[in-house]
Amino acid sequence: MLNINRSGQMTDLIYAEKDLVQSLKAYIQEEESKLLKIKSWAEKMESLTVKSSSDPEGYLAHPVNAYKLVKRLNTEWLELENLVLQDSTKEYPLRNVYGFITNLTIQRQFFPTEEDEMGAAKALMRLQDTYKLDPETISKGEFPGTKYRSFLTVDDCFGMGKTAYNDGDYYHTVLWMQQALKQQDNAEEATITKVEILDYLSYAVFQLGDILRAMELTRRLVALAPSHERAGSNMRYFEMLLEKEKENQVLNETSDKTEATTQGGIYERPQDYLPERETYEALCRGEGVKMTPQRQKRLFCRYHNGNKNPNLIVAPFKEEDEWDSPHIVRYYDVLSDEEIEKIKEVAKPKLARATVRDPKTGVLTVASYRVSKSSWLEESDDPVVAKVNNRMEQITGLTTKTAELLQVANYGMGGQYEPHFDFSRKDEPDAFKRLGTGNRVATFLSYMSDVEAGGATVFPDFGAAIWPKKGTAVFWYNLYRSGEGDYRTRHAACPVLVGCKWVSNKWFHERGNEFLRPCGRTEVN
């Protein structure tokens, strides 16, 4: 028999039960709050996916949408999973969430990785630099030719800055942390605090050599978080450096120290490895194109029959001069919409990160200056490949027997290929040795999509910019008739600002074309 007949003990049980009710209500409130967060996320995602799934290509044409999709799938869905599983340790709750978690686990194998998220952030920064866009413009999603609006939150801007910081890129760290701070100062909701933003921003500013502003930002940090240990030690360090600087100025007024140039918190972009960076990016923006009236008079349109090729006499191609010297021509209606879709369909399963040929070893490898996905198609893959190869052979008068396979490339968000030569130079004689067909004599570049903004093919040496037009192709010779490389043909694929760019390349080689394009009398003939 239970020994609870005493009045005092029974009274205690009353209060014990009351306490249980209160703790149960607290648990319910906590679970309701958690469920409310999950429900809010679900509603937001449902609204977003209805819009994105109705026009996937149009939606992803906006670079901010593309970045946020990668970020959501790599980071934010994982955070939601943790929230769902939080305190779900008992059998009943786990049974309720099992279906969702199982589906998420299955789908995760197709999700972007941490490297993909970093790549997407860097792509936005690439667009920012090339097209001279300030962080606020990108954050507001104000891009030309877009039919969808998208914006970056404080947390998104902070993520951009943190990616740059982890990469040792303090220039972009400052730009994006300043934008995050600006949006938060305007009372925008965020999970990231001002203290966290100021912590990164002050140190990045210091790394750019601006000690005074680093101190100003650190003071603001300390005012918000007086017990912040690192901020206090940084402040003392900055004061010590500033004191030393003043002493040095007194001793030697002509200091050789180079500091970052700043005006109102705007710093100079650091120089990088590419000597023609400024010219290349200006051409991508449509600036500095050297198409003079005199040159324009030397450019013509004509019908091209491939030197009286029997197949082209009845149905010649429309040919247009894009540049006079070196001679670059554009052919119209080279690919039909049906052929383009078929080529893309065959290429998509094979797409992989585009590679470049190592000049020393001749081996294909990935490189940071080429950001695209590509695949190589053989004639056995589909009849359309043989059909297109034959057409290129008729147009150019060159043989495809020794040409490389048809390369299909897809340039997505920020996709680019910085200035490069298609042919191998004298300092890299083994680049195409494994092929045994000599050097790349000519390039036939087919555009398989229109691009809303960006994505031009530019030639920095002589200031030409050629814009993608779906179904057209451009052709030029990389070598003089003597076999010497034409260094003027160094070219680049500009970053895609808005849209998605599809191209195919056919590189013709020297072997087999000795009599189809005979040697000239001089080295530069």
Side-chain angles (χ1 to χ4, degrees), residues 67-68 71 139 151-162 176-194 196-197:
Y67 167 70
K68 294 191 75 165
K71 184 171 180 281
S139 180
F151 62 90
L152 295 175
T153 63
V154 172
D155 295 333
D156 292 330
C157 293
F158 179 83
M160 290 283 292
K162 194 172 178 182
W176 284 103
M177 289 301 176
Q178 284 180 161
Q179 183 61 29
L181 189 62
K182 181 179 180 181
Q183 289 179 211
Q184 196 169 68
D185 283 343
N186 290 334
E188 186 180 306
E189 286 186 15
T191 58
I192 295 298
T193 66
K194 283 186 184 179
E196 290 173 285
I197 297 171

Side-chain angles (χ1 to χ4, degrees), residues 315-439:
F317 282 92
K318 288 177 280 187
E319 181 185 78
E320 178 183 29
D321 293 330
E322 286 281 356
W323 208 260
D324 57 341
S325 181
H327 195 206
I328 304 173
V329 295
R330 187 195 293 264
Y331 296 103
Y332 286 80
D333 303 319
V334 173
L335 296 172
S336 67
D337 287 350
E338 292 75 19
E339 288 171 332
I340 286 171
E341 290 310 309
K342 189 62 182 177
I343 291 170
K344 286 163 66 175
E345 179 189 322
V346 176
K348 279 179 180 177
K350 298 183 174 187
L351 285 176
R353 173 74 186 270
T355 56
V356 295
R357 200 171 292 278
D358 188 296
K360 293 182 179 179
T361 65
V363 176
L364 293 172
T365 182
V366 297
S368 60
Y369 56 83
R370 187 177 193 184
V371 184
S372 65
K373 288 190 172 184
S374 67
S375 61
W376 300 84
L377 303 187
E378 301 184 52
E379 293 191 352
S380 58
D381 288 326
D382 193 274
V384 72
V385 180
K387 188 178 178 182
V388 169
N389 281 343
N390 184 53
R391 189 176 302 151
M392 289 187 285
E393 192 171 76
Q394 292 174 358
I395 292 173
T396 63
L398 301 173
T399 180
T400 57
K401 289 179 181 177
T402 56
E404 293 175 47
L405 299 178
L406 184 68
Q407 186 202 55
V408 178
N410 174 223
Y411 295 85
M413 172 192 174
Q416 64 157 8
Y417 192 176
E418 289 181 353
H420 62 281
F421 298 101
D422 279 353
F423 65 93
S424 67
R425 276 78 66 213
K426 290 180 179 179
D427 60 343
E428 45 180 29
D430 296 333
F432 303 114
K433 187 176 180 180
R434 297 174 68 187
L435 300 178
T437 53
N439 212 341

Side-chain angles (χ1 to χ4, degrees), residues 115-162:
E115 185 181 354
D116 293 323
E117 184 177 338
M118 185 183 296
K122 287 183 178 180
L124 271 184
M125 294 176 210
R126 190 180 307 125
L127 296 177
Q128 175 184 357
D129 294 339
T130 304
Y131 298 103
K132 290 191 172 180
L133 305 171
D134 60 75
E136 186 165 10
T137 298
I138 296 174
S139 180
K140 289 180 178 178
E142 295 173 346
F143 291 88
T146 55
K147 55 182 176 179
Y148 293 97
R149 289 300 300 271
S150 187
F151 62 90
L152 295 175
T153 63
V154 172
D155 295 333
D156 292 330
C157 293
F158 179 83
M160 290 283 292
K162 194 172 178 182

